């Protein structure tokens, strides 16, 4: 590593930046970022760094040094893409800009300009808001005492803010208004303030964007994010990199609900479309297939073609008119994308059936979507990083493998496109203890056509555990916003004042910073990227893992993958089905391990942090087998330096909770 970078991280930054602590593992991580930038242009570099070691600071400083090097042959530019808006917003904080200013001054160079770039749908359209509030002037609406408080508050927010919808909580929206109805659409003129933001982003030395916008840019070849100017040398850092392939798959897929087409056509009076959609619904709805997926048969294909062609012939709806018109514009766009694939007999189309009623949804996906990141890769340096980028079940001290992320990007293990592979694990960093308070029942039950929900008894068990500690902050990590609602409903009334729950789109770090010393934060979005200010003291006293965050296997995508395996390798139906399920099951398990390790990492952000982890999900391993060899199942997500503590806790739990007979088993809290 360059002497200047090492000196700054080891000596200068701790002296000049409050609460900054350098470590050897952070400096080693920065060294590999520097090596990737110097020696591995045109390749994908996989660099993992343990949670809490200061990856963000390390790569920002290394990137800054690369940006301002005297030896650069061309002007340089950095693009950082994150999975979560939370991390995107954290990167462009005043504290990080001060860090870059401090380092640039240390180098006697100009400070790099950093800017954020979100998609249009993240910003407020004032004309749409006026339409939703039925007013001609937001200032008048904000002062109108005859209006509901929620409408006046929203108008005031729109007048005073920069219009970023990510900073607006869904709970603050008036009845009947949602963010999708007041965002800036692609055909809308950009408000002046947002146009200025986009211009600043286009001219920034360091552009902070997100995976979704990066994928859109690569697909459409707009050059708005990456740029394709050969006169500029570019480095792309994909943070939270393990999510990138899944984001590509989501962005490159199309989905069309026939029941949504029918309902929206009825609301708008599009009788022909409703008639065709109802006919398709009647033919395709199948309660026997509920929760599953099936290929599109010949008879179904003909019926679906009629319905989609009718949508194509329907009037082009102005999304500014109403929420129904906005929904129709989205449905029509999806239909136009799927129709040619349906007509051509594309194998990557399936019918997905809703969990209870078996209502049909047409799904068109793209195999190997992660390959999109290879576009223009030869002209840049690409670095993927995260606390959970490697195959998490690897031996702690062996050579790291990156088969999961490499496969997602369609890169073979020996691909010449792969450059540096490195893992940086903290050995002595923080203290983590464990408590097993296993719930007396399984977490989930089937609810309605929307899927599953927490069992009330389970939700009550979680709520009691969260409220059982009167001091210290508690982070309650659940798997969905539906989990949040169920747990809030079961929370002890006397402890509700301590509880804060997070809604979609809210600034999670800001919510956490506002927690009192004994506050409880309940969120499905805090598994990664949550790093509230701490003022030199550990922030979280305990983390409660509500349930396994393993994503369900997408039946329609399994079918599409099986079709792809048959087409590529000539597999028979049964073998292709088995193989596709194995692939997706392994992927889901790895994703759950990644998310769990990220969640555990929320509690250890600095070398002297201490946190207690409470596990309530009975599916988490907690028996004596954990005493032998490497931890298995979900327990493999526990960082290696804390695994002995978990083993001791699990063994103590098992010895205390031996069943009296085959039918009964008393579960006791065990703390280690």
């Amino acid at each position: 590593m360059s002497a200047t970078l090492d000196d700054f991280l080891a000596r200068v930054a701790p002296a000049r930046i409050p609460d900054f602590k350098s470590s050897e593992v952070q400096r080693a991580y920065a060294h590999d970022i520097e090596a990737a930038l110097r020696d591995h242009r045109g390749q994908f570099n996989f660099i993992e760094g343990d949670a809490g070691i200061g990856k963000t600071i390390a790569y920002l400083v290394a990137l800054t040094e690369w940006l301002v090097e005297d030896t650069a042959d061309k002007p340089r530019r950095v693009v950082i893409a994150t999975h979560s808006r939370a991390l995107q917003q954290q990167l462009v904080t005043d504290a990080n800009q001060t860090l870059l200013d401090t380092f640039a001054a240390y180098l006697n160079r100009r400070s790099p300009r950093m800017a954020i770039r979100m998609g249009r749908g993240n910003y407020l359209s004032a004309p749409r808001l006026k339409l939703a509030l039925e007013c001609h002037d937001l200032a008048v609406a904000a002062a109108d005492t005859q209006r509901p408080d929620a409408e006046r508050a929203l108008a005031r927010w729109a007048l005073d803010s920069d219009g970023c919808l990510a900073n607006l909580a869904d709970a603050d929206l008036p009845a009947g208004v949602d963010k999708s109805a007041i965002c800036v659409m692609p055909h809308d003129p950009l408000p002046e303030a947002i146009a200025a933001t986009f211009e600043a982003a286009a001219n920034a030395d360091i552009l902070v964007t997100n995976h979704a916008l990066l994928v859109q840019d690569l697909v459409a070849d707009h050059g708005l994010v990456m740029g394709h100017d050969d006169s500029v040398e570019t480095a792309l850092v994909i943070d939270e990199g393990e999510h990138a392939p899944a984001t590509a798959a989501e962005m490159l897929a199309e989905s069309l609900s026939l029941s949504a087409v029918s309902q929206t056509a009825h609301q708008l009076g599009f009788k022909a479309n409703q008639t065709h959609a109802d006919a398709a619904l009647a033919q395709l709805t199948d309660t026997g297939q509920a929760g599953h997926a099936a290929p599109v048969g010949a008879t179904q294909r003909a019926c679906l073609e009629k319905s989609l062609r009718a949508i194509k012939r329907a009037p082009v709806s102005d999304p500014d008119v109403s929420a129904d018109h906005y929904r129709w514009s989205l449905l029509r766009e999806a239909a136009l994308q799927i129709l040619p694939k349906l007509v051509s007999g594309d194998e990557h189309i399936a019918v997905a059936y809703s969990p209870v009623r078996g209502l049909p949804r047409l799904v068109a996906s793209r195999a190997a979507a992660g390959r999109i990141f290879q576009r223009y890769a030869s002209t840049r340096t690409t670095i993927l990083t995260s606390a959970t980028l490697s195959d998490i079940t690897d031996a702690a001290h062996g050579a790291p493998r990156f088969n999961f992320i490499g496969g997602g990007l369609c890169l073979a293990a020996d691909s010449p496109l792969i450059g540096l592979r490195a893992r940086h694990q903290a050995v002595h960093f923080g203290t983590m203890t464990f408590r097993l308070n296993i719930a007396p029942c399984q977490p989930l039950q089937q609810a309605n056509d929307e899927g599953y929900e927490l069992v009330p008894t389970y939700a009550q068990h979680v709520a009691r555990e969260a409220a059982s500690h009167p001091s210290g902050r508690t982070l309650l990590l659940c798997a969905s916003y539906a989990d949040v609602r169920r747990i809030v409903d079961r929370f002890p009334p006397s402890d509700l004042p301590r509880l804060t729950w997070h809604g979609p789109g809210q600034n999670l770090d800001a919510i956490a910073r506002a927690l009192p010393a004994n506050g409880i934060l309940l969120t499905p979005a805090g598994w990664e990227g949550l790093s509230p200010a701490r003022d030199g003291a550990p922030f979280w006293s305990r983390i409660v893992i509500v349930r396994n965050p393993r994503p369900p296997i997408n039946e329609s995508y399994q079918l599409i993958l099986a079709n792809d395996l048959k087409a590529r390798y000539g597999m028979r139906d049964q073998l292709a089905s088995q193989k596709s399920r194995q692939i997706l099951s392994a992927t889901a398990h790895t994703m759950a391990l990644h998310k769990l390790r990220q969640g555990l990492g929320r509690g250890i952000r600095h070398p002297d942090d201490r946190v207690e982890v409470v596990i309530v999900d009975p599916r988490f391993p907690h028996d004596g087998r954990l005493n032998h060899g490497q931890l298995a199942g979900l327990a493999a997500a526990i960082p290696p330096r804390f695994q002995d503590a978990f083993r001791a806790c699990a063994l103590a739990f098992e010895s205390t909770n031996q069943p009296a007979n085959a039918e009964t088993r008393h579960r006791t809290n065990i703390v280690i």
Side-chain angles (χ1 to χ4, degrees):
M1 181 165 59
S2 71
T4 54
L5 188 57
D6 187 64
D7 182 57
F8 181 79
L9 287 174
R11 183 183 62 82
V12 179
R16 298 186 186 179
I17 300 174
D19 203 28
F20 180 89
K21 292 185 178 180
S22 180
S23 65
E24 289 185 12
V25 67
Q26 182 195 48
R27 296 193 293 278
Y29 172 87
H31 168 78
D32 279 332
I33 297 290
E34 182 185 51
L37 292 166
R38 183 184 62 240
D39 302 328
H40 295 280
R41 188 168 186 263
Q43 293 182 302
F44 287 82
N45 301 276
F46 302 142
I47 306 175
E48 181 179 275
D50 227 348
I53 66 168
K55 290 188 300 298
T56 301
I57 287 175
Y59 73 59
L60 283 176
V61 171
L63 289 165
T64 297
E65 184 181 51
W66 176 80
L67 275 170
V68 302
E69 270 183 343
D70 285 334
T71 56
D73 296 327
K74 304 176 182 179
R76 289 175 170 176
R77 185 169 185 259
V78 169
V79 176
I80 302 173
T82 74
H83 172 63
S84 61
R85 279 188 305 215
L87 180 54
Q88 196 177 354
Q89 291 173 313
Q90 286 171 27
L91 280 164
V92 295
T93 59
D94 291 342
N96 280 340
Q97 186 61 60
T98 300
L99 169 75
L100 300 189
D101 294 344
T102 303
F103 185 49
Y106 170 79
L107 296 174
N108 197 26
R109 296 286 189 273
R110 175 185 63 83
S111 182
R113 295 162 295 173
M114 186 162 53
I116 193 169
R117 176 70 153 85
M118 294 183 178
R120 284 170 170 254
N122 289 285
Y123 296 96
L124 171 74
S125 167
R128 287 170 170 272
L129 179 57
K130 292 175 187 177
L131 183 68
L133 297 181
E134 299 180 351
C135 70
H136 298 290
D137 189 327
L138 291 176
V140 173
D144 186 357
T145 57
Q146 300 302 311
R147 284 183 173 271
D149 290 344
E151 292 188 5
R152 296 174 62 201
L154 180 58
R156 286 195 299 271
W157 176 86
L159 291 167
D160 297 338
S161 79
D162 63 359
C164 182
L165 293 176
N167 297 324
L168 181 66
D170 285 0
D172 295 336
L173 293 168
V177 177
D178 58 53
K179 291 179 182 177
S180 66
I182 59 176
C183 67
V184 180
M185 293 292 290
H187 67 279
D188 292 336
L190 274 180
E192 185 176 339
I194 300 174
T197 298
F198 284 6
E199 183 178 357
N203 296 318
D205 300 299
I206 300 176
L207 173 65
V208 179
T209 185
N210 53 67
H211 294 173
L213 199 57
L214 174 62
V215 169
Q216 286 180 349
D217 193 60
L218 291 171
V219 171
D221 206 12
H222 287 153
L224 298 176
V225 174
M226 286 306 303
H228 310 314
D229 185 353
D230 289 340
S231 66
V232 177
E233 189 176 353
T234 303
L236 171 63
V237 176
I238 305 179
D239 203 344
E240 302 173 315
E242 70 272 17
H243 297 290
T247 300
E250 181 182 345
M251 296 299 297
L252 298 179
E254 296 290 347
S255 175
L256 183 68
S257 164
L258 296 178
S259 59
V261 171
S262 175
Q263 293 167 8
T264 310
H266 172 74
Q267 294 292 334
L268 296 175
F270 295 168
K271 293 183 179 179
N273 295 105
Q274 185 185 353
T275 299
H276 284 292
D278 286 347
L281 271 173
Q283 182 171 326
L284 273 71
T285 298
D286 186 350
T287 55
Q289 289 275 26
H292 298 288
V296 181
T299 305
Q300 294 174 328
R301 191 179 298 274
C303 181
L304 287 168
E305 277 190 37
K306 289 181 181 179
S307 182
L308 268 60
R309 290 188 188 279
I311 296 173
K312 183 178 181 179
R313 293 191 300 269
V316 177
S317 180
D318 184 352
D320 286 341
V321 174
S322 70
D324 287 330
H325 283 81
Y326 173 75
R327 280 191 290 272
W328 183 259
S329 69
L330 297 180
L331 292 168
R332 187 174 187 275
E333 179 63 27
L336 293 178
Q337 294 291 326
I338 294 174
L339 179 57
K341 299 178 181 179
L342 187 69
V343 171
S344 68
D346 193 319
E347 293 289 332
H348 300 112
I349 297 182
V351 180
Y353 295 91
S354 64
V356 176
R357 297 168 59 192
L359 296 174
R361 174 184 292 273
L362 203 55
V363 178
S365 185
R366 182 183 297 189
R371 192 184 300 275
I372 192 63
F373 293 104
Q374 295 187 30
R375 196 167 196 186
Y376 304 113
S378 62
T379 66
R380 64 176 188 258
T381 302
T382 304
I383 300 172
L384 287 98
T385 189
S386 171
T388 51
L389 194 66
S390 65
D391 300 342
I392 211 162
T393 54
D394 288 349
H397 304 295
R401 295 178 300 170
F402 295 89
N403 295 338
F404 174 77
I405 183 62
L409 299 175
C410 303
L411 297 170
D414 58 352
S415 170
L417 289 177
I418 297 179
L420 187 62
R421 285 180 270 209
R423 176 175 57 192
H424 298 278
Q425 293 184 321
V427 178
H428 304 292
F429 196 89
T431 302
M432 186 176 291
T433 59
F434 296 88
R435 168 136 43 94
L436 296 176
N437 185 11
I438 303 300
C441 60
Q442 291 297 312
L444 297 175
Q445 64 184 11
Q446 197 159 29
N448 49 39
D449 217 46
E450 296 300 318
Y452 296 84
E453 64 183 9
L454 285 186
V455 174
T457 304
Y458 191 89
Q460 186 172 43
H461 182 88
V462 170
R464 286 175 175 170
E465 165 56 44
S468 64
H469 296 272
S471 62
R473 297 185 191 91
T474 297
L475 177 60
L476 207 57
L477 291 173
C478 59
S480 69
Y481 288 104
D483 287 2
V484 171
R485 293 191 294 272
R486 298 290 285 186
I487 294 170
V488 170
D489 289 343
R490 296 282 168 167
F491 220 79
S494 60
D495 288 289
L496 271 175
R498 297 172 53 203
L499 179 66
T500 299
W501 56 96
H502 167 235
Q506 290 180 290
N507 188 315
L508 192 54
D509 262 343
I511 292 172
R513 284 195 299 269
L515 281 180
N518 67 341
I520 302 167
L521 175 58
L522 171 59
T523 175
W527 297 87
E528 55 190 321
L530 178 60
S531 301
R534 59 194 290 277
D535 296 327
F539 193 86
W540 302 108
S541 294
R542 65 194 59 82
I543 295 173
V544 180
I545 304 297
V546 173
R547 66 179 174 98
N548 176 6
R550 177 184 175 121
I553 290 178
N554 186 313
E555 293 277 350
S556 58
Y557 190 66
Q558 183 199 344
L559 178 63
I560 289 168
L561 179 58
N563 287 338
D564 193 60
L565 292 173
K566 287 188 290 185
R568 284 173 180 264
Y569 306 109
M571 290 185 184
R572 294 183 177 181
D573 288 351
Q574 185 175 3
L575 179 59
S577 179
Q578 291 174 347
K579 188 66 175 176
S580 63
R581 191 161 193 89
Q582 289 172 359
I583 291 171
L584 294 184
S585 180
T587 299
H589 180 65
T590 301
M591 291 172 68
L593 292 178
H594 283 169
K595 200 165 188 177
L596 274 166
R597 182 166 289 185
Q598 290 275 15
L600 296 174
R602 297 311 95 202
I604 305 293
R605 312 303 300 165
H606 293 79
D608 54 353
D609 283 352
R610 298 180 59 89
V611 69
E612 178 187 59
V613 174
V614 183
I615 296 167
V616 296
D617 193 333
R619 297 170 296 181
F620 207 100
H622 50 265
D623 58 35
R625 290 173 297 175
L626 298 176
N627 195 36
H628 305 287
Q630 196 170 346
L631 292 188
L634 296 175
I638 296 169
R641 64 188 184 278
F642 303 130
Q643 289 186 0
D644 285 344
F646 178 77
R647 284 190 183 92
C649 182
L651 287 169
F653 178 89
E654 186 68 15
S655 64
T656 306
N657 290 277
Q658 291 294 331
N661 55 57
E663 302 297 327
T664 63
R665 181 177 184 142
H666 175 68
R667 298 190 181 277
T668 304
N669 277 336
I670 294 292
V671 182
I672 293 292

